[in-house]
């Protein structure tokens, strides 16, 4: 028995065999599927964005703010 190895993706449960291997296959052959371990991709951290605050009409007292 001869082993042929290639990487492909299944689409709707169908695995496409590359053209260069189709001629070497007979009517019957064995298929073994090896699945790569699932690598979890860390979620992207949310970035801080700017914030607009309407300050019209507010009175700021720097000394009072620094007391706290």
């Amino acid at each position: 028995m001869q082993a042929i190895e290639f990487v492909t993706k299944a689409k709707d449960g169908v695995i496409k065999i590359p053209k260069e291997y189709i001629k070497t296959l007979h009517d019957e052959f064995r298929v073994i599927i090896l699945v790569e371990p699932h690598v979890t991709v860390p979620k992207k951290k949310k970035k801080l964005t700017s914030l607009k605050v309407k300050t019209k009409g507010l009175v700021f007292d720097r000394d009072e703010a620094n007391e706290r």
Side-chain angles (χ1 to χ4, degrees), residues 48-61:
L48 294 176
T49 56
S50 61
L51 175 68
K52 286 186 176 182
V53 179
K54 294 182 182 180
T55 58
K56 188 174 182 177
L58 294 177
V59 179
F60 293 96
D61 183 352

Side-chain angles (χ1 to χ4, degrees), residues 18-32:
K19 290 180 183 179
E20 63 263 25
Y21 299 121
I22 291 177
K23 291 181 181 179
T24 61
L25 298 176
H26 302 288
D27 292 338
E28 188 174 307
F29 51 89
R30 181 182 310 224
V31 176
I32 300 173

